[in-house]
Amino acid sequence: MCAEDKVRDKAREILKFYDDNNAISGVGQQTTFNNLDKNYWKGNPNKPDGWYLPKDTAHPAIVLECANSKTDLIKKDEQIKKYIEIAKQKYKNVVGISYNGFDVAVYKDEKLYSLTTELFDKNYYLNLFNNISIDKVAIYNFTKSINDNLHGNFGINNLKHRMIFTACALVADKNGADLKSLKNRDFETLRNEIIKTLEKSYSAEIARNIKLNIIKEQFNIINFNYTENQKAINDFIDDVAEISRFIKSSEWSGEDVMGIFFNEFTRYKGKSEVGQVFTPDHITSLIYRITATSYKDKVLDATCGSGAFLVKAMNNMINEIGGENVKDKLAQIQNEKLFGVEFDKELFALSCANMIIHKDGKTNITHGDARSNEICEWIKQKEITRVLMNPPYEEKFGCCLIVENVLNNVSDGAICAFILPSNKLVVKKNLATKWLKKHSLLKIIKLPPELFRANKGHSDTSIFIFKAHEP
């Protein structure tokens, strides 16, 4: 067991809690809030285990609570919340950290922000207040505005083309294209700037994944019926810039931005697109948690669509390592931890663009058929430890073959979660028996009936969780 005093000393070194020109900082057992500031906290006897208190009260403060290694930080949260409440008498923004030498619970003001297994330098926590909060209502409103604009004023009738054009514009904005400067310029100038910046965004990876060229290919075949409406061009640029501003914030918790778009865009979808679905954010979050996925895993979605599961996994993994400033681990996540397969070229382009928008993990997404031997070999080489998937349900799209191919080619002991019709293993009883001779079915979690009813026509779905190669 790691004793509390050793935990405190360890925290001091990692957080770098030392006085500087901007703040008083330190750790200890006997220092009271009264000792730290007799004006704001006169007579207050509470003793934080650590503190970082800026001289400028407009800047965020940090208070620390340490415990021995056996302490459950979530169940024992009264003390850190009390310290936060006290610190907020002086500071508008306070980060509270509970640490037991192994686990870290981080509070942004009184609200639990994250629970991780690694403590970082104080600057990581101070930067939590440098980001705008996420207004999802505003995002949906901007999305609706984009959709109405592209459909009504530009005449883009193809659902996926509207999504691809928007996604590529977001990629361009993320990668340095000054779209705002193109307001009141002609459409061709805007289009050329987007495609130029788009190509730069994946040029370094093209040698490893030549299929990334499909992004440009799909962008170039988008059909516009009218491009002379200057107000429509300016409005599109403004709306993209507003959405991009939210996505760039570290408060963005990995919601699939293309999934948000899809919810709006599908008001116009045709019958040919029935069967495709974008998994809701709360479901991707749930499956990530119940499969105990972490940054240490290699994650596969062999029918990745717009990349919802991969986007969520990437964002969660980056939070687990301490954010984008931990460059070596960030690069490892982007290049070695996330794997996707998509059969549909338009969705492949969308998934790659979506990953670029969200902190960039596009390198190991491939255009291919999860029913094929080629992709089976590709999966086998990746040594996958977690599978997060919502495959097409209909057998004409090879649902069961895809599931079987994935189970048979991931690593021994891999945890594999599939969203499927609840009766799938009953209807395919012989096939299910065959699977269970090789793999174990750990649990079945029934989902709400309304979840995919509108999009796939299936109102009865469940999460099936398997353990591969362990019958």
Side-chain angles (χ1 to χ4, degrees):
M1 183 176 77
C2 192
E4 189 174 324
D5 58 342
K6 291 185 178 180
V7 171
R8 190 182 301 107
D9 291 341
K10 184 178 177 182
R12 184 212 304 266
E13 296 304 314
I14 297 172
L15 288 163
K16 296 182 173 61
F17 268 11
Y18 302 102
D19 287 345
D20 58 35
N21 293 330
N22 301 313
I24 58 171
S25 183
V27 301
Q29 290 178 288
Q30 301 302 322
T31 304
T32 66
F33 276 101
N34 178 70
N35 298 142
L36 292 168
D37 192 321
K38 289 183 172 62
N39 292 321
Y40 280 93
W41 302 312
K42 185 177 181 179
N44 193 309
N46 286 277
K47 301 172 183 178
D49 286 302
W51 55 89
Y52 179 84
L53 304 173
K55 296 172 183 177
D56 186 343
T57 58
H59 294 167
I62 303 175
V63 287
L64 174 69
E65 164 70 4
C66 293
N68 66 55
S69 56
K70 290 187 176 181
T71 302
D72 186 320
L73 298 181
I74 299 302
K75 290 182 179 179
K76 300 285 186 179
D77 64 353
E78 301 91 350
Q79 199 65 55
I80 188 62
K81 287 182 176 179
K82 179 185 286 188
Y83 294 160
I84 293 169
E85 182 182 356
I86 294 168
K88 284 183 71 64
Q89 294 170 9
K90 180 175 180 179
Y91 298 94
K92 179 182 178 182
N93 298 318
V94 178
V95 176
I97 302 173
S98 286
Y99 182 52
N100 65 8
F102 297 96
D103 299 317
V104 186
V106 180
Y107 295 81
K108 190 174 177 183
D109 292 329
E110 294 88 356
K111 184 179 179 181
L112 181 65
Y113 178 80
S114 65
L115 184 63
T116 67
T117 57
E118 194 164 352
L119 187 67
F120 302 102
D121 181 283
K122 64 178 178 291
N123 290 317
Y124 167 73
Y125 302 105
L126 296 172
N127 285 332
L128 295 180
F129 285 100
N130 292 336
N131 295 286
I132 59 171
S133 61
I134 302 302
D135 184 344
K136 291 189 180 180
V137 173
I139 292 168
Y140 272 91
N141 287 337
F142 288 126
T143 299
K144 182 179 186 303
S145 177
I146 288 174
N147 184 58
D148 291 344
N149 196 4
L150 294 180
H151 192 250
N153 295 319
F154 290 85
I156 306 178
N157 295 318
N158 184 297
L159 159 68
K160 295 175 193 169
H161 286 183
R162 294 198 297 275
M163 296 171 73
I164 290 170
F165 186 68
T166 306
C168 291
L170 284 165
V171 169
D173 186 83
K174 178 182 184 289
N175 286 276
D178 186 5
L179 297 187
K180 283 277 194 179
S181 70
L182 303 182
K183 291 177 69 173
N184 299 314
R185 303 281 295 276
D186 63 86
F187 175 78
E188 200 58 31
T189 302
L190 171 64
R191 185 184 179 282
N192 289 340
E193 183 65 22
I194 291 173
I195 195 64
K196 180 180 73 174
T197 312
L198 181 69
E199 288 185 284
K200 286 182 182 178
S201 72
Y202 60 77
S203 59
E205 289 92 352
I206 204 71
R208 290 179 57 189
N209 188 355
I210 192 67
K211 293 179 180 180
L212 289 172
N213 278 321
I214 292 174
I215 306 173
K216 179 181 177 182
E217 170 196 307
Q218 293 300 308
F219 182 87
N220 283 333
I221 64 176
I222 296 173
N223 182 44
F224 301 86
N225 282 311
Y226 189 74
T227 58
E228 304 301 319
N229 186 329
Q230 191 62 58
K231 182 178 184 304
I233 294 170
N234 290 351
D235 288 348
F236 175 78
I237 290 171
D238 284 339
D239 289 340
V240 166
E242 286 299 317
I243 291 176
S244 184
R245 185 170 64 92
F246 286 116
I247 296 171
K248 290 173 183 176
S249 168
S250 69
E251 291 292 297
W252 189 265
S253 60
E255 293 88 350
D256 171 15
V257 71
M258 288 298 103
I260 293 173
F261 284 10
F262 181 80
N263 289 332
E264 170 59 28
F265 290 176
T266 47
R267 295 192 297 120
Y268 299 96
K269 75 177 181 180
K271 290 183 179 179
S272 64
E273 291 158 316
V274 172
Q276 292 172 344
V277 67
F278 289 66
T279 311
D281 176 69
H282 66 287
I283 299 300
T284 59
S285 295
L286 170 67
I287 294 179
Y288 187 91
R289 291 199 309 272
I290 63 178
T291 54
T293 304
S294 78
Y295 72 94
K296 298 176 183 179
D297 287 302
K298 290 187 173 184
V299 175
L300 169 71
D301 184 349
T303 54
C304 67
S306 70
F309 278 114
L310 299 178
V311 166
K312 177 59 67 176
M314 177 170 59
N315 194 84
N316 286 351
M317 288 176 173
I318 290 171
N319 285 340
E320 289 164 10
I321 64 165
E324 295 179 67
N325 293 325
V326 188
K327 297 299 184 184
D328 55 340
K329 290 185 178 178
L330 174 65
Q332 187 180 43
I333 288 170
Q334 292 171 332
N335 297 321
E336 302 173 20
K337 299 294 186 178
L338 303 161
F339 301 88
V341 181
E342 180 49 51
F343 177 73
D344 184 292
K345 276 190 174 184
E346 292 171 325
L347 288 180
F348 171 77
L350 263 181
S351 62
C352 291
N354 209 10
M355 294 294 275
I356 299 171
I357 293 165
H358 296 87
K359 303 181 178 72
D360 202 354
K362 63 190 174 297
T363 306
N364 292 307
I365 299 178
T366 190
H367 175 244
D369 187 347
R371 299 166 293 188
S372 69
N373 291 332
E374 177 187 1
I375 292 300
C376 287
E377 288 302 314
W378 184 87
I379 293 172
K380 190 178 294 184
Q381 293 169 11
K382 306 306 178 186
E383 299 179 336
I384 301 298
T385 61
R386 290 292 186 276
V387 173
L388 316 175
M389 284 181 61
N390 186 5
Y393 302 159
E394 296 84 355
E395 281 311 313
K396 66 180 179 181
F397 297 122
C399 174
C400 288
L401 179 57
I402 291 170
V403 171
E404 183 172 337
N405 284 350
V406 169
L407 287 171
N408 288 344
N409 290 286
V410 296
S411 296
D412 291 357
I415 303 300
C416 306
F418 304 92
I419 300 176
L420 298 168
S422 297
N423 67 350
K424 180 62 75 173
L425 299 192
V426 176
V427 174
K428 297 289 181 179
K429 185 176 180 180
N430 291 339
L431 190 58
T433 301
K434 175 184 173 184
W435 292 353
L436 295 178
K437 288 180 179 178
K438 295 182 180 180
H439 319 286
S440 55
L441 179 60
L442 301 182
K443 63 182 72 172
I444 301 173
I445 303 170
K446 194 170 178 61
L447 294 172
E450 66 275 7
L451 195 62
F452 298 116
R453 180 184 292 153
N455 295 324
K456 278 190 171 182
H458 287 274
S459 60
D460 191 0
T461 55
S462 297
I463 304 168
F464 293 78
I465 301 180
F466 293 87
K467 192 169 188 180
H469 307 293
E470 294 187 16

